[in-house]
């Protein structure tokens, strides 16, 4: 029925006499045809194309609206006696402020024993493990622990593996290493005596604020330390030493193994809380 109606209308229009005068018939120039072709060219993206703004909307670049990296400026002390240093005020565990050297050569954080006492690490039931720290001067005995938070100005990091060593200077209380600095672009303004910490752009996946290398490295180190103390415990039973001395060493080794296990467990719980992938926790 629709087809018959269409053919009837078409025949009527073809046979209808021309009532309009020639000069009233609209004409099209080449420019009109060009404009018509550009507007209707199906090869050009239309306003309806996904990813393009509709007519009347303002176009925006992908970067527009992105979070601008924050900058944190901290005044520093430039000298320790005759030695050039970058000594900055640092707040640990939200309560104790200390003077720390910014050290790009240190992988992690080191604090002196006097600062550890101020933090109550030796008095409280904190995981602490005897180990050693490597530096330019070689290996030195240290105690491994975890500091809950470190804040430099308004820049903050949490869960920081830290080595406690004997005091090296009265001018500062420890070293801030690359574990903290890895999340910032750092500029030292020697004219104004300030350190500028600029937050890096958001990275794809940083559970707990740490990258894959940080997680893998700490799991390996914590697990290796635990395994070493377990091996030492076992080796004591194969050595011919004075029974009293054997007992003392065995008790000490057991305590150290337990401390190593507590630290590892604390790290693993922190990883679980932050949904760290299992393959980052291999050791």
């Amino acid at each position: 029925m629709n087809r018959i109606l269409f053919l009837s209308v078409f025949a009527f229009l073809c046979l209808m006499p021309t009532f309009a005068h020639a000069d009233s018939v609209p004409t099209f120039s080449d420019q009109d045809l060009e404009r018509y072709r550009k507007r209707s060219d199906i090869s050009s993206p239309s306003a309806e194309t996904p990813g393009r703004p509709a007519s009347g909307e303002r176009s925006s670049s992908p970067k527009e609206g992105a979070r601008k990296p924050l900058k944190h400026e901290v005044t520093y002390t430039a000298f320790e006696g005759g030695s050039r240093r970058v000594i900055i005020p640092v707040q640990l565990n939200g309560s104790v402020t200390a003077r720390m050297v910014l050290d790009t050569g240190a992988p992690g954080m080191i604090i002196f024993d006097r600062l550890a006492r101020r933090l109550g690490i030796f008095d409280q039931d904190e995981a602490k493990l005897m180990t050693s720290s490597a530096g330019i001067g070689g290996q030195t005995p240290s105690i491994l622990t975890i500091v809950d938070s470190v804040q430099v100005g308004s820049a903050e990091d949490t869960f920081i593996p830290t080595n406690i060593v004997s005091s090296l200077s009265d001018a500062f209380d420890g070293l801030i290493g690359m574990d903290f600095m890895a999340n910032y672009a750092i500029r030292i303004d020697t004219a104004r005596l300030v350190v500028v910490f600029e937050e890096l752009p958001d990275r794809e996946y940083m559970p707990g604020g740490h990258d894959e290398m940080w997680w893998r490295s700490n799991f390996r180190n914590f697990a290796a330390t635990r395994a070493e103390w377990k091996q030492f415990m076992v080796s004591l039973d194969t050595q011919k030493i004075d029974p009293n001395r054997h007992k003392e060493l065995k008790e000490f080794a057991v305590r150290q193994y337990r401390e190593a296990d507590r630290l590892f467990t604390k790290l693993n719980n922190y990883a679980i809380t932050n949904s760290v992938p299992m393959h980052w926790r291999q050791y």
Side-chain angles (χ1 to χ4, degrees):
M1 183 66 181
N2 290 338
R3 179 177 174 79
I4 295 173
L5 178 60
F6 172 78
L7 292 175
S8 300
V9 173
F10 179 78
F12 174 77
L13 291 175
C14 290
L15 297 173
M16 184 177 64
T18 305
F19 293 103
H21 294 287
D23 56 359
S24 66
V25 176
T27 60
F28 292 90
S29 66
D30 291 341
Q31 290 80 3
D32 292 324
L33 291 174
E34 184 66 16
R35 284 198 300 271
Y36 180 81
R37 181 165 50 210
K38 287 182 177 179
R39 289 176 183 171
S40 60
D41 187 358
I42 60 174
S43 65
S44 300
S46 70
E48 304 298 325
T49 303
R52 291 177 59 89
S55 178
E57 291 184 1
R58 187 171 66 90
S59 174
S60 62
S61 65
K63 295 182 179 179
E64 190 172 322
R67 183 181 67 83
K68 186 177 180 180
L70 298 177
K71 291 184 179 181
H72 315 274
E73 287 194 359
V74 181
T75 302
Y76 72 87
T77 301
F79 288 92
E80 175 210 359
S83 301
R84 283 188 177 273
R85 302 281 191 191
V86 178
I87 304 174
I88 56 177
V90 177
Q91 189 177 76
L92 294 87
N93 290 350
S95 59
V96 176
T97 300
R99 298 163 297 173
M100 306 283 283
V101 169
L102 203 64
D103 187 355
T104 57
M109 189 166 76
I110 295 175
I111 63 174
F112 299 158
D113 50 2
R114 63 171 182 264
L115 177 56
R117 284 191 290 270
R118 289 173 60 196
L119 290 167
I121 292 175
F122 298 134
D123 302 326
Q124 300 172 4
D125 186 23
E126 295 288 341
K128 43 191 178 291
L129 173 68
M130 291 192 66
T131 181
S132 62
S133 298
I136 296 177
Q139 296 282 339
T140 182
S142 65
I143 294 175
L144 179 62
T145 189
I146 293 172
V147 172
D148 293 331
S149 68
V150 171
Q151 188 170 345
V152 178
S154 54
E156 186 175 10
D157 195 10
T158 57
F159 200 93
I160 304 95
T162 302
N163 284 94
I164 304 170
V165 301
S166 297
S167 178
L168 302 176
S169 171
D170 292 332
F172 54 93
D173 302 301
L175 309 174
I176 289 283
M178 286 304 299
D179 271 1
F180 181 87
M181 291 185 277
N183 291 330
Y184 302 92
I186 296 173
R187 181 170 57 86
I188 300 174
D189 188 334
T190 56
R192 298 168 52 219
L193 296 183
V194 298
V195 182
V196 181
F197 294 83
E198 182 174 352
E199 293 182 2
L200 297 175
D202 290 337
R203 282 165 278 182
E204 186 175 352
Y205 190 49
M206 294 275 288
H210 303 296
D211 59 18
E212 180 178 355
M213 180 62 71
W214 186 94
W215 286 105
R216 286 183 179 275
S217 175
N218 278 290
F219 265 95
R220 283 196 302 268
N221 293 341
F222 281 43
T225 304
R226 183 177 63 174
E228 288 169 0
W229 281 109
K230 186 174 183 178
Q231 184 179 4
F232 179 66
M233 276 194 307
V234 173
S235 69
L236 286 174
D237 294 331
T238 65
Q239 299 179 26
K240 295 180 179 180
I241 56 178
D242 178 77
N244 292 330
R245 179 62 174 163
H246 177 273
K247 181 181 179 181
E248 290 176 358
L249 290 174
K250 191 66 176 281
E251 290 176 351
F252 175 74
V254 168
R255 287 197 303 270
Q256 289 301 292
Y257 173 77
R258 287 175 179 169
E259 290 292 344
D261 188 59
R262 288 177 64 189
L263 281 172
F264 182 87
T265 300
K266 195 169 184 178
L267 175 66
N268 194 49
N269 289 340
Y270 186 63
I272 293 171
T273 301
N274 288 280
S275 303
V276 176
M278 284 299 300
H279 64 278
W280 289 16
R281 302 186 230 168
Q282 294 175 355
Y283 51 89

